[in-house]
Every structure is written in structure tokens, then in C-alpha cells.
Amino acid sequence: MNKAQPQLPRTRHERELAALRELSARVGSDPLLVQASNGNTSIKLDGILWIKASGKWLAHASQEEVLVPVELAEAREAVEHGTEIAKPDVLKNKVRPSIETAMHVVLTRRVVIHVHSVNTIAWAIRLDGPQKLKERLDGLRWKWIPYATSGIPLAQEIEKAVARAQQTDVFILGNHGLVVCGDDCLTAEKLLCEVERRLAIAPRPFPQPDATVLGMIARLSRWRFPDFDPLHALGTDEVSLKILKGGVLYPCQAIFLGRTMPLLPPTLAVSKFRERLSGKDRTSPFAVVERRGVVLNERMTSAQRATLIGLVQVTQRTEESARLRYLNGAEVEKILNGGAYTARRIPWTAGTFPRRGPPGSGEQTRQR
Ligand SMILES: [Zn+2]
């Protein structure tokens, strides 16, 4: 009839998938919710779980295909038994479902949104998080999920919580992030906004960086002065610096930024900075100069940059008095070196966690 009209999605499936893609692009474009390829969304449609593919960015959902179909019944069985699930056509195209697929599989609601919300993480790293959130989330159907490795262990923790309270649609993942569910995209996104509103924390103001010293380092080395001012808080804000020195707070920090970072004293001569930063610390994506600010490795990837920005947003929202739970050595080890173990047990994730790039590349290629 009117051929000039833009083509609208015709079937219910197409409409729902289009809604999920729009939601994914919106959520993925908010750096307070999602950083780089982390975070994932899914919808269950007639026995198929459509979930974000590993390594894809939710923010790109309206420009490229970020969803991958998974047979739900097979996936459920795989979660139960840890057996092969990846479909040959999926593997042929080298598109794999997210490492966090198991979590989406065990949740029965049709739409699931998982984000690394900085406001949620600021609560999820606190030892008193469960108590503090009682008041803030009062009236919502929420559960605190103690930290568990992504994949089967986390899915099992969520399953246990759902078994105790089937209507739960908000999950605070200890040392990790947030999951909300709904029967459709609109309901799930509204719930996400409501949780975000309740958990919002204003970031602390921070002392300005020492542009003279950092500028000299940038001129004399391959390290750069950040183009995003709040990053300096990791060096100039005493509380953030103290938190950072404590260790790894959540998986993406370890995956993209490493276990530790170069920490340089404020009194070091500029020539010594150069020496340090071209030596053993040269592959770190960033370095902190106490009380002066932060410099970035010129080879830093966009994923590392997004993760670092997320990290400073978390530390600037965390009070000095808060007692924090850091990931222990074994947990960090499992995150960084668990690929082989995960691949043996859950083949659909095989290869999604490649090791560090070539020495000196500064590249981190692990995907969520
Ligand atoms: Zn996650």
C-alpha cells in the first residue's frame, strides 16, 4: 500500500527482540551502568534464550547484532550437569553467549538485565551491604547474593535464592553488580531505574591533580595525562587511594586492570618516574602518583579505560568508614586463570577468556 513507510517489526518475536536491542543500547550507553563489554541482557522467547554475545558491547546493540540464540532446555540441562551446550552454528560464527549465560538461564522471568552499576557496586563491596540496603530497597523483592565466580557457581547461588523466594526480581551480586528481571522489557527497565534511584550515591569532590608533574611525565615518557578529569581522584583523593591500595574489589577490576597498579610516591624525581614506568610497570594500563594524580599507558585499550572510569566512580562513592570486602587471592586467581577450568566444565564459554595479550601490548582481551 504505502511502500515508502519504514518497515516495522512484524511478529511478536521481532517486536520483543527489537525492544531488547533498544533497551540494551540505552543501558549500555550509560557508563554508570555498563563499562565496555560487561553487562548483559536477555529475553526468553518460545524456548530460545536470546542473550548478549560474549565480547559484544551492549552500547552497540542498535548498530550490530549483539544477541545470540541459545536453546533454553539444553542450556538448563547444561547448567545442571555442566555438559556441552554450544551449538555448531554458533561456534562456526565464533559468536558465543556471554560467560554469564548460566545466570540468565536459571532465572525464570522472560527479561533479565545484568549491569555493573557503579552505585550498586559501591554497596555490594561493603561488609554491611545487606544491612544498609534493607532500608533503601524496602518494599522491593530483592536478595543479596554472596560473591560467587561468574558462570555455574553464580547461577547456583541465584538458584538457591530464587528457591527461597520465587518472586525475587532484584539481585544484588556481592562484589559484582546488579540483576533485575521482568516479564517484558519495559517492566525490567522500569525496575532497573527504580533500583538505581534508590541506590544512588553522590560522588565525593576530589582535590585537583598536579598538572605540572603529570604533564612532565607525559612529555618524557609513553604515559599520558588523562582526558577524563575524575580519574585523578584515584591519586588525589585520600579515601579512594586507600581503597585502591586494599586490593581487588570486583572481577572486572582484576580482568582489565590487573591485581595491582604502579603506585609512585609524590616525591620521586621525574626522571625516576620515567625509569619506573618503562621498567616492570610498563604494561600496566595506568599508574597512580600519590597526591598528584593518574597517568595512563598510551597503549591502554578502550575497555581498560571504561573499566578504570567505572572503578573511580565506585571508590568516589565509598565512604572512608565503610568496611569493605575485597576478593581474596583464590577468588582473583580463579577469575584470571579460571579459563581452562571453565572451558572444561562449561564448553559454551571455551575461549571466551583468552589470556593476556603479548607482553607489552597492554591488551586485555577477556570478555564478559
Ligand atoms: Zn557481571
Side-chain angles (χ1 to χ4, degrees), residues 279-316:
K280 67 179 171 58
D281 293 327
R282 73 185 187 286
T283 57
S284 174
F286 74 109
V288 172
V289 185
E290 285 193 61
R291 298 206 298 272
R292 307 281 190 227
V294 162
V295 285
L296 305 181
N297 195 319
E298 67 174 3
R299 296 186 179 187
M300 177 184 232
T301 63
S302 53
Q304 288 171 329
R305 184 177 180 279
T307 306
L308 190 63
I309 290 172
L311 178 62
V312 73
Q313 300 290 0
V314 170
T315 59
Q316 285 300 104

Side-chain angles (χ1 to χ4, degrees), residues 114-131:
H114 166 50
V115 288
H116 291 186
S117 144
V118 298
N119 283 304
T120 305
I121 295 175
W123 296 108
I125 57 175
R126 294 175 67 128
L127 285 168
D128 63 0
Q131 287 73 42

Side-chain angles (χ1 to χ4, degrees), residues 94 124 132 195 278 295:
K94 294 195 171 123
K132 288 274 179 193
V195 174
S278 56
V295 285

Side-chain angles (χ1 to χ4, degrees), residues 39 100 114 116 150 176 368:
E100 284 160 340
H114 166 50
H116 291 186
S150 286
H176 185 159
R368 307 299 288 164

Side-chain angles (χ1 to χ4, degrees), residues 126-128 318-324:
R126 294 175 67 128
L127 285 168
D128 63 0
T318 305
E319 308 165 345
E320 186 171 18
S321 60
R323 289 182 56 228
L324 305 181

Side-chain angles (χ1 to χ4, degrees), residues 38-40 98-100 103-104 114-116 150 154 173 176-179 251-252 368:
N38 74 31
N40 30 71
S98 159
I99 174 72
E100 284 160 340
M103 173 171 80
H104 293 252
H114 166 50
V115 288
H116 291 186
S150 286
L154 177 56
L173 310 185
H176 185 159
L178 169 68
V179 174
C252 280
R368 307 299 288 164

